[in-house]
Amino acid sequence: HGVKASFHDVAARKFRNCQAYTPIECASFTLLSNALRDGLADCAVMAIENSIAGSILPNYQLLENGGFKISGEIYLRIELAFLALPGVKLANLKFAQSHPMALFQCADFLAAHPQLTPLEAADTAESAKIIAHQQRRDTGAIASAMCASEYGLEILAGGIETNKLNYTRFLVLHRAADYNPPKDANKASVRFEAAHRPGSLARILDVLSRYDVNMTKLQSVPILGRPYQYSFHVDLEWPDSEKFRAAISELRTQTTQLIQFGEYRAADKDFTAA
């Protein structure tokens, strides 16, 4: 999702450990999903939640509708920089362009430079690309530092995000036919529906507890066409794969429409500011 040097691109490079790959630029999450579904892409990297903004609920629906499998995850600290054309001074800029969330996350920086009028755009990296291609000398972009080298811009200020503990979690997706779970998998994402009876969800959680399966996320998602009814998406981690499989087997008797989106290796989590 996004153009080159977007945070999706940064996350993909982190997951591949800087191994070469050919990115496909997608202007929306729907186009990203379509590219994977139609075989235009071998895999896809899709943001699913942010530590400040929360879950991206429409992406759960794309995951479900596409029938995709999760083969990995990445946690990326969102580090934002202020970029402009070479030779342009910060004091001479009139506008700061970026995605609305990035503008929000840099509120302190913008307050310290009141001459900058925020301009909302569809993407952080695309803002940098537009400024470079249109040679806009009155506008700076809030984007990743990688955008500077990608689009020939200069970093006027780095680390301008207000909250340094700002992380986005990305999922690595494959088509079901191409999915091969790693042998050392210790995490899974599943979706289920629970009966509308008192204690239904509590009994489900009790199953996980009895088999020593840790639920690291529980997200309710509206069911389309059924107002005010919800499915539950949960992330599960375990130290014993046999206990996990036993738990899933019992969960099938306690839930309906249970779908496993894949087993994968939990990403390292070091939630500290550099």
Side-chain angles (χ1 to χ4, degrees), residues 55-244:
S55 296
I56 307 174
L57 292 185
N59 287 0
Y60 283 97
Q61 199 67 53
L62 291 175
L63 176 63
E64 186 173 339
N65 292 345
F68 303 133
K69 293 293 186 180
I70 303 170
S71 57
E73 65 176 1
I74 312 108
Y75 287 91
L76 182 70
R77 187 161 83 86
I78 304 302
E79 301 177 74
L80 294 163
F82 191 59
L83 316 176
L85 290 171
V88 172
K89 303 298 183 182
L90 196 156
N92 297 330
L93 291 170
K94 298 179 181 179
F95 304 100
Q97 181 172 316
S98 195
H99 187 277
M101 183 53 63
L103 293 170
F104 171 75
Q105 292 170 352
C106 296
D108 287 357
F109 173 81
L110 293 173
H113 300 87
Q115 83 278 10
L116 296 174
T117 299
L119 294 179
E120 294 187 356
D123 183 58
T124 55
E126 187 175 9
S127 297
K129 183 178 181 180
I130 289 171
I131 289 169
H133 287 189
Q134 296 182 1
Q135 290 292 293
R136 290 167 55 178
R137 304 187 69 82
D138 63 347
T139 307
I142 294 177
S144 72
M146 186 188 295
C147 287
S149 57
E150 181 66 39
Y151 299 113
L153 301 177
E154 289 184 348
I155 299 175
L156 301 186
I160 64 172
E161 65 279 1
T162 300
N163 190 326
K164 304 303 180 184
L165 296 178
N166 176 14
Y167 287 82
T168 295
R169 178 180 174 227
F170 298 82
L171 301 178
V172 181
L173 306 178
H174 282 82
R175 291 180 293 277
D178 301 329
Y179 169 68
N180 291 304
K183 294 181 179 179
D184 61 347
N186 64 348
K187 187 171 184 177
S189 296
V190 304
R191 179 260 194 211
F192 61 79
E193 297 176 26
H196 290 277
R197 294 193 299 270
S200 294
L201 186 56
R203 284 189 288 272
I204 292 168
L205 299 181
D206 180 64
V207 171
L208 300 176
S209 176
R210 285 191 284 107
Y211 287 100
D212 297 322
V213 176
N214 184 30
M215 183 176 64
T216 60
K217 183 175 178 64
L218 172 63
Q219 178 68 56
S220 61
V221 178
I223 300 174
L224 297 182
R226 291 158 58 183
Y228 299 104
Q229 295 188 38
Y230 301 86
S231 62
F232 295 96
H233 287 249
V234 300
D235 293 334
L236 306 171
E237 294 187 22
W238 61 87
D240 185 325
S241 60
E242 293 303 317
K243 286 186 175 182
F244 164 72

Side-chain angles (χ1 to χ4, degrees), residues 41-63:
D42 295 324
C43 67
V45 172
M46 182 176 73
I48 197 68
E49 61 179 320
N50 176 265
S51 60
I52 295 175
S55 296
I56 307 174
L57 292 185
N59 287 0
Y60 283 97
Q61 199 67 53
L62 291 175
L63 176 63

Side-chain angles (χ1 to χ4, degrees), residues 15-34:
F15 183 76
R16 292 183 59 85
N17 196 25
C18 298
Q19 294 180 10
Y21 77 104
T22 302
I24 298 174
E25 297 182 348
C26 297
S28 70
F29 288 116
T30 298
L31 291 176
L32 178 147
S33 176
N34 292 346

